[in-house]
Amino acid sequence: MDRDEAKLVLTGRRRGPEVPTKHAELDRQVFVEAGATVEGAILGGRVVVTGPNTTVAGPVYARRSMSLSPAGGRIELGGGAIARDGILAEAGEGEAGW
């Protein structure tokens, strides 16, 4: 995991929610890398979730925008997804979509 006030990169298995602990982190970018499992909620300014085989057990909230890219696999969001500016769900070349 790579973390600072501007960016958070989640890899592997993460227990618990990934939410800001101070005001400066509210607008940070959160990247959930392929194959990651987050056992809780995620809150960030801009959230990017890439697959394949990526799971977030709780809800995903983006204060700005969210991008979901399954990359030929599966992204599972157990608590749904909410973004203020919009959600872009990308299908790769040759993929039928969602």
Side-chain angles (χ1 to χ4, degrees):
M1 177 177 68
D2 179 20
R3 174 192 302 253
D4 62 33
E5 289 181 356
K7 178 176 75 170
L8 173 63
V9 179
L10 302 172
T11 60
R13 181 173 290 276
R14 305 290 310 151
R15 293 168 92 44
E18 292 296 338
V19 296
T21 57
K22 45 189 166 175
H23 192 269
E25 295 175 340
L26 282 172
D27 284 326
R28 72 179 169 196
Q29 295 187 72
V30 178
F31 298 92
V32 184
E33 297 293 317
T37 299
V38 179
E39 298 174 357
I42 294 175
L43 170 63
R46 178 173 179 261
V47 179
V48 177
V49 183
T50 58
N53 307 320
T54 305
T55 302
V56 179
V60 181
Y61 299 102
R63 290 173 43 95
R64 293 189 315 254
S65 64
M66 185 181 310
S67 174
L68 306 172
S69 179
R74 181 181 179 101
I75 293 176
E76 185 175 329
L77 305 177
I82 299 172
R84 180 183 296 167
D85 292 343
I87 299 173
L88 172 64
E90 300 179 79
E93 188 173 322
E95 292 178 328
W98 293 75

